[in-house]
Amino acid sequence: AAIYAAGEGHVEVLNAPSEPQVWVDVRHYPFTEGAATLKSSNRLLEDIWRICSRGVQMGAQGGLLDCPSREKGAYLGDAVISGRSQMWLTGDTRLAKKTLVDFMYSSRICPGLMAVAPCNFMQEIGDYSLQYPLLLWEYYRQSGDKDFLKTASESVFPGLFQYFAQYENPTGVLAGYKDKWVVLDWPEELRDGYDYDVANAGENTVLNAFYYGALRRASDIERVVGGDSAPYDARAERIAAAFKERFVDPATGLYVDAPGSKHSSLHANAIPLAFGLTAGADPAKMLTLIEEKKLSCGVYIAAYVIEACFKQGATDLGYRLLTSEDKHSWAEMVRSGATTCMEVWGPDQKWNTSWCHPWSSSPVYLLSEYVMGLSPGEPGWGKIRVAPPIIKDLPEIELTVPHPKGKITAHHIPGQGWRYTVPQGVAAETLAPPNVPVFIQQEPSHAIPQLSQENRTFLEEQQWAAHVGDQLALWIDLDQQMFYLLRGLEPVWQARCATSAWGAGSTLDSNQTPLGWHTVAEKLGDGAPWGQVFRSRKATAEVWRPGQATPEDLVLTRVLWLAGTEPGLNQGKDAQGRVVDSKDRNIYIHGTNGEDRIGTPSSHGCIRLRNDDVLEAYARIPQGAPVLISSRQPAVQSAQAKPAPPKPAPARQKKKNG
């Protein structure tokens, strides 16, 4: 029998004498499924995120490989893109650091760095070497690792920039550089007709744009580590002056591919624009050129084209290119049946196209940072910066990404604005355009879950281990208005909740929250939209949205129906013959339209969660899971005590269930 790979996710078996056993072993660097997610009313956005995320996962091995099945090497230019995406998807900066260390060691072979490391494949690419400062800076932004920033810059920058200095002409630009290959873009057919031979014989616009970008980024790094940034800025200024004098076509306001060329390619304008280099050129005309040519480039340079649009304020154009459905688009990969992001836009564009090539994963960080407006407010995410853009016809999108102290969720709802949820205790600053509604809230559900020693001791007193063992179980603490999911005594997830405004108690029609041990008897609402309204546990035609006024307390999004397991306390009837059965009382865990009152006793007996949180609770909690509802305060009403007068009802309409 012969077995042929027919694209990632498909295998063809030919001439097998009998039905064969087929299996696939998959190995990759640790990757937590679901740590980063994107949901949208635009299915294409979800598909693009899926193939890019999976491509990064499969390409992350012992290094950031350009392709796990062919070259199997970490190319520096590829790693700038896949490394940024991998850090956004996992929150793990260690693999990017290892890649930077590997290339730092390659300077022992050539001060101008190798193109692949670690490897004995002695390939060298000039424009890749100039991207080392770019990846180093992105690593620092995500990690806050100032010590390594200093070590790497001191080890690499002197040799790297001295190496390139020997190819500078009197104007400061690299001229006649032939020591290493200049890849520009790949394959050759996707260079937008770049005047390649003229450029390589003289002054290559793209190579010098990367040189400019490397010098500017090196200057930024020197300022952080306390070094001397002035020489790097001075060299960058010389390049900018040369671009103004020699690289501009005065008739068009665009950069040409090289002095002496009459061709102004997408590459020769988008790459300088991405680095803020517009000396002598007209930025508006450069953006017009991008709008006309779209992605007439490879997937590698597309990252810089789109980032240039966002950096220059052309947010609509950047978003249109990301979601384009042309032949040169991520949509083309999806149409072709790709399950991971590809080496080129479609399988017919390169004879040996790789179906898994993470250098095309840039939508991960472009969507996270430029569409959803998230970035580190300070290196290492000690502060979160929120800067939502104005993009015409932006659909509903919800993005969740890891954070060192938990996770961040960014949610855009058309016509309503932006909602950002961040870990409790982490500051967020807002840089929003005028009249763009932005709401930021800190939530325990977005922080790394913790269980204090006092709480551990309390649970031990409740014989937690005897009831739960090592399985997943819930603890709902009325005193703290907190909802904990634990495996054994180890916290898995937590959230603020809201229990009864009338306190603790079990009697029918008391509107109180019952104490004691329960179980999740039923789960309702699988697949229902966010804000789905339930009445008598049945989904209605109504869907509630934030800001929608209603006097009624609603049961929303998901329902987990609880049943008591302690006869006389929360199951059946008590000693006085009163009904105390939690299931008969319709005690639920559910979402609510009263999210502003989460964290305070404000329900009619149920356990309310924010709608985002009830979605996560529903996904995490299995049917049959044990549930302990507790209070260290004496119950207002218990199986042994007479009912106490209820507290005044909340401001909203009283409702039996909720």
Side-chain angles (χ1 to χ4, degrees):
I3 299 178
Y4 296 93
E8 275 72 5
H10 306 279
V11 172
E12 183 178 9
V13 181
L14 301 178
N15 303 320
S18 60
E19 184 175 337
Q21 291 185 335
V22 179
W23 66 93
V24 177
D25 289 329
V26 178
R27 66 178 296 275
H28 53 75
Y29 185 80
F31 188 95
T32 303
E33 296 281 355
T37 60
L38 184 140
K39 295 180 286 186
S40 177
S41 57
N42 183 336
R43 176 64 183 273
L44 176 59
L45 279 175
E46 294 184 342
D47 288 340
I48 292 171
W49 182 271
R50 172 179 52 81
I51 64 171
C52 291
S53 174
R54 188 67 69 192
V56 171
Q57 179 182 7
M58 295 299 118
Q61 303 286 333
L64 293 165
L65 305 190
D66 81 320
C67 172
S69 61
R70 195 172 65 205
E71 290 88 348
K72 303 178 183 177
Y75 280 73
L76 183 50
D78 300 45
V80 173
I81 294 170
S82 61
R84 290 178 70 177
S85 296
Q86 193 263 349
M87 288 187 283
W88 274 102
L89 288 167
T90 65
D92 185 347
T93 59
R94 293 174 296 175
L95 196 56
K97 182 177 182 178
K98 179 189 181 298
T99 301
L100 289 162
V101 170
D102 289 340
F103 281 101
M104 182 172 68
Y105 290 156
S106 83
S107 65
R108 299 173 183 176
I109 302 170
C110 173
L113 304 182
M114 306 305 295
V116 188
C119 192
N120 65 353
F121 181 35
M122 302 294 289
Q123 190 168 27
E124 302 177 66
I125 302 174
D127 36 345
Y128 272 25
S129 296
L130 289 167
Q131 295 178 56
Y132 187 88
L134 310 185
L135 181 57
L136 180 59
W137 181 254
E138 292 302 326
Y139 166 75
Y140 172 63
R141 289 180 73 215
Q142 295 283 343
S143 70
D145 187 352
K146 186 175 177 180
D147 290 340
F148 181 73
L149 188 73
K150 182 176 176 64
T151 297
S153 60
E154 290 178 346
S155 299
V156 173
F157 288 1
L160 176 66
F161 290 107
Q162 185 176 354
Y163 163 83
F164 280 101
Q166 64 184 318
Y167 299 100
E168 290 181 0
N169 68 11
T171 69
V173 300
L174 304 176
Y177 178 80
K178 295 181 180 179
D179 188 50
K180 299 183 180 185
W181 180 34
V182 177
V183 69
L184 189 75
D185 204 349
W186 194 252
E188 298 173 71
E189 295 78 13
L190 296 178
R191 290 175 177 163
D192 187 36
Y194 196 85
D195 212 337
Y196 192 77
D197 293 336
V198 172
N200 279 355
E203 302 159 31
N204 188 316
T205 301
V206 166
L207 180 65
N208 278 288
F210 274 114
Y211 194 25
Y212 176 88
L215 288 164
R216 287 298 194 200
R217 193 55 77 204
S219 175
D220 294 335
I221 290 170
E222 288 300 319
R223 280 191 287 273
V224 171
V225 301
D228 186 1
S229 63
Y232 296 112
D233 280 329
R235 289 169 71 176
E237 289 297 332
R238 289 183 69 206
I239 293 172
F243 264 65
K244 181 178 180 180
E245 293 299 321
R246 295 180 50 76
F247 289 77
V248 176
D249 180 346
T252 63
L254 301 172
Y255 290 136
V256 291
D257 296 348
S261 170
K262 297 185 181 302
H263 186 254
S264 293
S265 65
L266 174 69
H267 300 65
N269 288 273
I271 303 302
L273 200 59
F275 295 122
L277 175 57
T278 60
D282 186 332
K285 291 182 178 178
M286 297 166 85
L287 288 169
T288 298
L289 179 76
I290 293 174
E291 189 163 18
E292 291 171 354
K293 289 183 174 286
K294 301 180 182 177
L295 296 179
S296 54
C297 59
V299 294
Y300 154 60
I301 289 299
Y304 293 93
V305 175
I306 296 172
E307 192 162 21
C309 294
F310 283 112
K311 284 183 173 180
Q312 295 297 320
T315 54
D316 284 336
L317 177 57
Y319 181 74
R320 287 201 306 273
L321 294 176
L322 261 176
T323 56
S324 167
E325 298 193 36
D326 294 342
K327 290 287 287 184
H328 287 197
S329 70
W330 283 273
E332 178 70 7
M333 298 185 196
V334 174
R335 283 194 296 266
S336 299
T339 57
T340 58
C341 52
M342 299 172 60
E343 184 182 11
V344 290
W345 302 116
D348 60 341
Q349 295 174 16
K350 189 170 181 285
W351 72 270
N352 63 341
T353 296
S354 161
W355 285 76
C356 182
H357 226 84
W359 78 336
S360 60
S361 66
S362 59
V364 169
Y365 62 81
L366 294 171
L367 284 165
S368 299
E369 186 157 354
Y370 295 107
V371 176
M372 303 309 290
L374 290 173
S375 63
E378 59 187 43
W381 290 98
K383 182 187 293 183
I384 297 167
R385 178 171 295 127
V386 168
I390 297 177
I391 297 175
K392 184 181 179 181
D393 299 326
L394 187 66
E396 182 170 2
I397 311 175
E398 183 179 89
L399 172 74
T400 297
V401 292
H403 181 275
K405 294 186 178 180
K407 65 181 181 180
I408 311 168
T409 295
H411 192 181
H412 172 258
I413 301 176
Q416 297 184 24
W418 296 81
R419 184 187 186 99
Y420 295 88
T421 309
V422 304
Q424 190 173 29
V426 178
E429 63 179 11
T430 304
L431 299 175
N435 303 316
V436 174
V438 175
F439 179 67
I440 301 174
Q441 61 186 52
Q442 299 177 336
E443 284 295 333
S445 61
H446 280 59
I448 296 173
Q450 296 179 339
L451 197 65
S452 69
Q453 186 55 52
E454 179 184 356
N455 285 339
R456 288 177 184 272
T457 300
F458 175 77
L459 290 177
E460 289 168 355
E461 292 170 353
Q462 307 306 305
Q463 300 182 323
W464 180 266
H467 283 88
V468 171
D470 293 329
Q471 66 181 308
L472 280 170
L474 307 181
W475 174 36
I476 297 162
D477 185 3
L478 273 60
D479 303 329
Q480 302 176 84
Q481 294 292 288
M482 285 292 291
F483 182 105
Y484 295 95
L485 178 62
L486 304 103
R487 185 176 294 280
L489 271 175
E490 293 307 310
V492 174
W493 183 71
Q494 63 190 21
R496 282 196 185 95
C497 63
T499 60
S500 174
W502 287 268
S506 302
T507 306
L508 182 67
D509 294 329
S510 68
N511 285 328
Q512 296 172 313
T513 299
L515 300 178
W517 286 96
H518 292 72
T519 187
V520 177
E522 296 185 41
K523 295 172 62 177
L524 307 165
D526 193 40
W530 191 101
Q532 175 74 67
V533 177
F534 290 83
R535 300 186 188 281
S536 300
R537 299 180 298 281
K538 300 292 184 182
T540 69
E542 304 167 69
V543 175
W544 180 84
R545 287 298 184 194
Q548 179 181 331
T550 173
E552 184 182 4
D553 281 310
L554 300 173
V555 175
L556 301 179
T557 306
R558 295 290 186 274
V559 176
L560 292 88
W561 194 3
L562 302 184
T565 61
E566 296 189 63
L569 177 64
N570 54 37
Q571 184 187 78
K573 297 181 179 181
D574 65 9
Q576 287 76 41
R578 296 173 297 186
V579 173
V580 293
D581 194 282
S582 294
K583 196 163 192 290
D584 285 350
R585 292 183 58 211
N586 299 319
I587 300 298
Y588 309 146
I589 298 166
H590 66 83
T592 177
N593 56 324
E595 289 192 331
D596 57 324
R597 293 182 290 153
I598 294 294
T600 66
S602 52
S603 81
H604 294 91
C606 289
I607 296 90
R608 297 177 180 173
L609 295 173
R610 293 172 57 250
N611 292 287
D612 287 342
D613 289 342
V614 81
L615 281 169
E616 184 153 1
Y618 187 91
R620 287 176 174 270
I621 299 166
Q623 188 166 320
V627 181
L628 174 63
I629 305 175
S630 70
S631 173
R632 297 172 179 90
Q633 307 299 321
V636 174
Q637 174 185 327
S638 69
Q640 292 77 32
K642 293 182 179 180
K647 298 178 183 179
R652 296 175 183 262
Q653 177 181 330
K654 183 176 176 181
K655 186 173 183 293
K656 178 179 178 182
N657 303 328

